[in-house]
């Protein structure tokens, strides 16, 4: 217990240093901004800022990137409520009732309850990391090559299971990502693989190019193909204060949403969008007037918003303690860590305690900042919503282009952005989701290293993966999840239904 | 042949995956294979590439059995302009410097949008170029060539 307080004290002393508070603030501000703006997601933003954070220390860099991520979750709710367009994919559920509330002139209370619920959930989420992080890391420290390899397989499988649509396609995307991750000099033998003689590729394809291409450029192309249609309720935001009745009705959903979100964030592969959808379903089932959901029920805003923010926090646990990214965003965070020369894994907590605890505490401080930032500044955020897309997208392209060039001062990185943008666009047309590709890309080289190590120790006997009990358990769960999804059509149907509803909302 | 393909999305994505899988395995033949005990540079890519090709074949195979949606409209103009703008940017940046590269990027990129008014785009391009110089060169101190011979 004293350890815990010592750690938290260390965290506070790191997170409250002037520089880190500043970067946390910048991160939250940028995150809210891009969360509000539809068209530029947090993934593309974090990818864009990776080269910029390169010059900061690892702690400040991660604090800022994390701020962008959860700031975007907050900002996304503003757009959902006011424009009926999710600024960020996890806020789609908020659109259902939040937008209806705005149409009835109750945008203010909807936004306030979303912010309060998110703050409460964020606080609980951070506490979860503090309590469970060290336990998990302690277990994972004992893992060898076989366990690590199998854990990565499990991580990828979970990403596949929770991806949209076809399981086979998601597996293919993961494998393709692993292959792209192998481009460059083989660390073990020094052989240059798949570089096609291009010197700029000897260090591998940059994660920045892959992420900006897949999540920035492909998105722009897709957006341009749609006609713009927005209906904004900007003048109707007055009277932020929710009524006593609103508070009374929201308390239960916030508590339940937080619980649901915390658990969903912990499970490998589940995303905050599923958490918010689950919370919405629960509230609808529990409510006496469930048929009124979708017409502006405050419960339908309070629950999902709390759930997605709690999940956004606990989402960090597997990445920080095991070094396993459970989603595209955590894959980028892992990439940022590696660019800073930190080997991800359970040893981060003991080797870089200031980074680990500083980041966690900064997330709580950031959540506090967001409440302060979002509520009074809502008027300014709304102004941003009125910027026409024809100005937004070339501006975003400029940041993508200069950002990717600046990292290595190489035009090859810009060409790579274009190539991955095109690939992402075509694959999206064929119903192949890009997130598993990025996950595979980050984990690919680590998987090769761990497999090599495991096979070296076992003298080339691949059965080591199933004779070590923990490794076998990971592989078993992976296999069962995939088989269950393929063999049980009911489960698959439910999953698709959930995804589809969440996707259409 | 088209009669056989019942799920075009599965068919074509499968073909793409087979092509990548086979491609990665084929190129890996130039690298030392090693053994399970000491994995060579080709070992892991061959394993993963092979698996990808097999999964791709599964997709192609299933596309002849299970019906699926038709592929939505795949544009030529917009992707070409957006990606073209990036390629042009990379090329011009090395040749002429940041300012001309950004102006070209904004012009070609904007041509992919719904509305294109020459003067509006020109002014916007200049504003963005000035902003970029301010942010990247002065605030962040990224060493970038701004214009020709500067």
């Amino acid at each position: 217990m004293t350890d815990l307080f010592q750690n938290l004290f260390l965290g506070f002393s790191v997170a409250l240093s002037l520089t880190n508070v500043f970067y946390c603030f910048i991160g939250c501000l940028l995150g809210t901004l891009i969360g509000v703006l539809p068209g530029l997601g947090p993934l593309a933003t974090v990818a864009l800022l990776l080269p910029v954070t390169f010059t900061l220390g690892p702690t400040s860099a991660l604090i800022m990137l994390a701020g962008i991520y959860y700031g975007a979750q907050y900002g996304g709710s503003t757009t959902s409520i006011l424009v009926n367009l999710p600024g960020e994919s996890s806020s789609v559920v908020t659109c259902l009732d939040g937008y209806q509330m705005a149409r009835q002139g109750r945008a203010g209370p909807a936004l306030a309850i979303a912010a309060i619920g998110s703050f409460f959930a964020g606080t609980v989420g951070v506490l979860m990391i503090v309590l469970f992080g060290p336990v998990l890391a302690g277990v994972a420290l004992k893992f060898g090559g076989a366990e690590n390899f199998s854990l990565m397989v499990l991580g990828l499988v979970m990403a596949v299971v929770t991806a949209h649509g076809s399981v086979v396609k998601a597996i293919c995307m993961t494998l393709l990502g692993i292959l792209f991750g192998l481009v460059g000099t083989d660390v073990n033998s020094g052989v240059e693989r798949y570089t096609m003689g291009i010197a700029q590729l000897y260090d591998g394809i940059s994660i920045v190019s892959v992420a900006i291409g897949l999540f920035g450029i492909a998105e722009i192309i897709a957006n341009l193909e749609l006609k713009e249609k927005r209906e904004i309720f900007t003048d109707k935001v007055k009277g932020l204060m929710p009524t006593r009745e609103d508070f009374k009705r929201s308390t239960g959903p916030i508590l339940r949403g937080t619980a649901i979100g915390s658990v969903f964030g912990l499970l490998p592969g589940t995303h905050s969008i599923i958490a918010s959808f689950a919370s919405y379903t629960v509230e609808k089932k529990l409510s006496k007037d469930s048929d009124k959901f979708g017409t502006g029920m405050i419960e339908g805003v309070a629950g999902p918003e709390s759930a997605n923010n709690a999940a956004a926090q606990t989402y960090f646990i597997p990445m920080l303690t095991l070094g396993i990214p459970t989603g595209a965003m955590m894959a980028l965070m892992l990439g940022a860590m590696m660019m800073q020369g930190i080997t991800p894994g359970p040893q981060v907590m003991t080797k870089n305690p200031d980074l680990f605890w500083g980041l966690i505490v900064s997330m709580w401080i950031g959540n506090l900042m967001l409440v302060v930032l979002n509520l009074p500044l809502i008027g300014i955020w709304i102004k941003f919503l009125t910027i026409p897309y024809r100005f937004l997208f070339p501006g975003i392209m400029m940041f993508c282009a200069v950002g990717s060039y600046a990292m290595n001062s190489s035009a090859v990185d810009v060409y790579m952005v274009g190539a991955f943008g095109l690939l992402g666009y075509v694959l999206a047309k064929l119903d192949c989701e890009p997130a598993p590709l990025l996950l595979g890309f980050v984990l690919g080289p680590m998987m090769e290293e761990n497999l090599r190590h495991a096979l070296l120790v076992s003298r080339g006997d691949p059965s080591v993966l199933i004779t070590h009990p923990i490794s076998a358990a990971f592989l078993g769960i992976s296999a069962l999840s995939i088989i269950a999804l393929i063999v049980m059509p009911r489960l698959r149907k439910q999953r698709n239904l959930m995804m589809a509803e969440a996707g259409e909302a | 042949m088209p009669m056989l393909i019942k799920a075009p999305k599965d068919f074509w994505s499968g073909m793409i995956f087979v092509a990548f899988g086979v491609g990665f395995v084929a190129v890996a033949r130039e690298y030392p294979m090693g053994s399970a005990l000491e994995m060579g540079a080709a070992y892991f890519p061959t394993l993963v590439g092979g698996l990808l090709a097999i999964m791709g074949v599964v997709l192609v195979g299933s596309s002849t059995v299970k019906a699926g949606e038709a592929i939505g409209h795949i544009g030529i103009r917009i992707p070409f302009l957006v990606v073209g703008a990036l390629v042009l940017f990379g090329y011009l940046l090395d040749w002429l410097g940041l300012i001309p590269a950004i102006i070209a990027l904004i012009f070609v990129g904007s041509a992919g949008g719904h509305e294109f008014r020459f003067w509006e785009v020109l002014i916007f391009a200049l504003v963005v170029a000035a902003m970029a110089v301010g942010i990247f060169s002065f605030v962040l101190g990224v060493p970038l060539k701004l214009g020709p011979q500067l």
Side-chain angles (χ1 to χ4, degrees):
Chain A
M1 212 53 192
T2 43
D3 262 12
L4 189 70
F5 284 112
Q6 244 165 12
N7 288 332
L8 277 179
F9 182 74
L10 172 69
F12 269 101
S13 66
V14 172
L16 284 176
S17 77
L18 211 57
T19 12
N20 288 335
V21 169
F22 174 73
Y23 286 116
C24 182
F25 174 73
I26 295 288
C28 290
L29 197 69
L30 270 173
T32 313
L33 176 64
I34 54 119
V36 167
L37 291 175
L40 182 63
L43 280 168
T45 314
V46 168
L48 272 173
L49 288 172
L50 276 186
V52 176
T53 57
F54 205 43
T55 53
L56 314 176
T59 309
S60 304
L62 278 160
I63 283 178
M64 183 167 121
L65 295 175
I68 295 174
Y69 167 63
Y70 55 77
Q73 302 273 337
Y74 262 74
S77 61
T78 309
T79 318
S80 307
I81 292 170
L82 294 178
V83 201
N84 198 21
L85 252 185
E88 214 277 314
S89 62
S90 66
S91 341
V92 282
V93 184
T94 314
C95 287
L96 300 174
D97 279 278
Y99 180 70
Q100 292 304 327
M101 283 182 73
R103 291 189 69 173
Q104 294 155 18
R106 306 220 321 123
L111 290 166
I113 284 292
I116 293 164
S118 294
F119 174 68
F120 177 76
T123 308
V124 174
V126 169
L127 267 174
M128 297 274 291
I129 307 183
V130 171
L131 290 176
F132 293 111
V135 182
L136 261 176
V139 174
L141 269 174
K142 301 195 178 79
F143 289 177
E147 284 83 6
N148 277 328
F149 176 80
S150 304
L151 181 63
M152 287 174 193
V153 172
L154 178 63
L156 291 177
V157 165
M158 285 305 171
V160 163
V161 170
T162 54
H164 284 257
S166 155
V167 179
V168 182
K169 281 178 184 166
I171 295 174
C172 288
M173 289 298 270
T174 313
L175 294 170
L176 189 58
I178 295 176
L179 289 172
F180 283 129
L182 298 178
V183 173
T185 311
D186 175 23
V187 280
N188 204 48
S189 60
V191 176
E192 270 131 27
R193 291 188 287 190
Y194 307 107
T195 55
M196 297 169 285
I198 301 168
Q200 283 88 342
L201 289 183
Y202 290 174
D203 287 336
I205 302 172
S206 141
I207 183 174
V208 176
S209 303
V210 179
I212 295 181
L214 289 180
F215 298 101
I217 299 302
E219 180 80 22
I220 287 181
I221 300 175
N223 279 340
L224 285 177
E225 288 189 343
L226 301 168
K227 284 277 174 215
E228 243 184 311
K229 209 173 72 190
R230 288 190 206 163
E231 194 188 355
I232 308 173
F233 286 94
T234 48
D235 43 22
K236 290 201 181 147
V237 187
K238 46 191 170 222
L240 275 175
M241 236 5 229
T243 60
R244 187 170 299 190
E245 165 80 9
D246 288 336
F247 277 118
K248 228 175 91 190
R249 282 170 57 189
S250 304
T251 313
I254 288 177
L255 291 175
R256 285 188 289 271
T258 303
I260 292 169
S262 303
V263 175
F264 271 87
L266 267 174
L267 300 174
T270 47
H271 306 285
S272 43
I273 178 171
I274 301 176
S276 48
F277 193 80
S279 160
Y280 191 83
T281 315
V282 166
E283 292 311 324
K284 200 171 164 177
K285 283 240 166 79
L286 285 179
S287 172
K288 272 172 282 172
D289 347 74
S290 47
D291 49 322
K292 278 196 193 149
F293 270 76
T295 61
M297 296 282 278
I298 199 156
E299 289 91 336
V301 176
E305 276 301 309
S306 310
N308 87 39
N309 215 51
Q313 304 298 335
T314 52
Y315 186 28
F316 278 85
I317 295 181
M319 189 278 285
L320 278 173
T321 59
L322 308 175
I324 303 295
T326 49
M329 179 55 75
M330 289 306 122
L332 280 177
M333 294 280 170
L334 219 57
M337 251 194 221
M338 291 193 279
M339 281 167 69
Q340 296 275 1
I342 293 174
T343 316
Q347 73 286 350
V348 170
M349 204 179 69
T350 42
K351 275 194 187 153
N352 310 77
D354 45 336
L355 171 92
F356 186 88
W357 295 103
L359 176 63
I360 291 171
V361 173
S362 90
M363 293 204 264
W364 184 73
I365 295 172
N367 272 295
L368 191 65
M369 275 188 204
L370 283 167
V371 174
V372 180
L373 209 67
N374 261 12
L375 290 181
L377 292 185
I378 264 167
I380 299 176
W381 301 134
I382 292 168
K383 284 272 183 317
F384 278 107
L385 277 175
T386 53
I387 301 176
Y389 197 61
R390 69 174 191 280
F391 291 130
L392 267 184
F393 85 87
I396 296 171
M397 278 176 67
M398 183 278 283
F399 275 101
C400 292
V402 182
S404 52
Y405 180 92
M407 203 172 45
N408 298 313
S409 292
S410 125
V412 175
D413 284 335
V414 186
Y415 302 148
M416 279 293 158
V417 170
F420 276 97
L422 212 54
L423 184 71
Y425 168 75
V426 172
L427 288 171
K429 285 278 175 188
L430 301 172
D431 288 347
C432 299
E433 247 199 284
L437 194 152
L438 188 69
L439 241 64
F441 180 81
V442 172
L443 286 179
M446 286 195 264
M447 287 179 82
E448 180 178 26
E449 214 31 61
N450 278 302
L451 182 63
R452 182 179 278 143
H453 188 235
L455 290 179
L456 195 68
V457 171
S458 74
R459 292 159 197 261
D461 179 8
S463 71
V464 65
L465 296 174
I466 37 177
T467 48
H468 280 212
I470 299 174
S471 166
F474 288 150
L475 288 181
I477 299 171
S478 309
L480 278 178
S481 323
I482 292 211
I483 292 168
L485 212 55
I486 292 174
V487 179
M488 289 161 64
R490 247 186 83 207
L491 195 72
R492 195 169 58 207
K493 221 160 114 191
Q494 203 143 34
R495 161 176 166 274
N496 286 342
L497 200 74
M498 198 156 113
M499 299 285 184
E501 253 185 80
E504 279 161 17
Chain B
M1 182 69 181
M3 298 276 286
L4 277 173
I5 304 166
K6 290 178 182 150
K9 281 180 178 174
D10 292 359
F11 178 80
W12 288 108
S13 57
M15 290 302 266
I16 292 175
F17 292 132
V18 171
F20 271 115
V22 169
F24 270 94
V25 172
V27 176
R29 291 173 63 97
E30 295 168 22
Y31 313 135
M33 191 61 172
S35 62
L37 178 57
E38 268 179 272
M39 283 165 49
Y43 196 94
F44 195 61
T46 306
L47 208 70
V48 179
L51 198 57
L52 178 61
I54 293 170
M55 297 301 275
V57 170
V58 170
L59 263 179
V60 172
S62 78
S63 77
T64 60
V65 182
K66 209 175 64 187
E69 287 169 46
I71 299 172
H73 172 74
I74 295 193
I76 299 289
R77 196 181 68 95
I78 293 171
F80 179 78
L81 285 171
V82 170
V83 173
L86 287 174
V87 172
L88 192 65
F89 172 88
Y91 182 72
L92 286 179
L93 185 51
D94 279 343
W95 181 34
L96 293 174
L98 182 67
I99 296 168
I102 286 183
I103 293 174
L105 171 88
I106 301 282
F107 261 93
V108 178
S110 293
H114 300 310
E115 289 169 82
F116 185 89
R117 301 186 198 108
F118 182 80
W119 290 107
E120 191 184 270
V121 174
L122 181 67
I123 292 167
F124 182 63
L126 292 174
V127 171
V128 171
M131 227 171 68
V133 171
I135 295 175
F136 289 102
S137 292
F138 294 116
V139 179
L140 296 174
V142 182
L144 287 167
K145 188 168 82 170
L146 297 182
Q149 263 94 52
L150 277 179

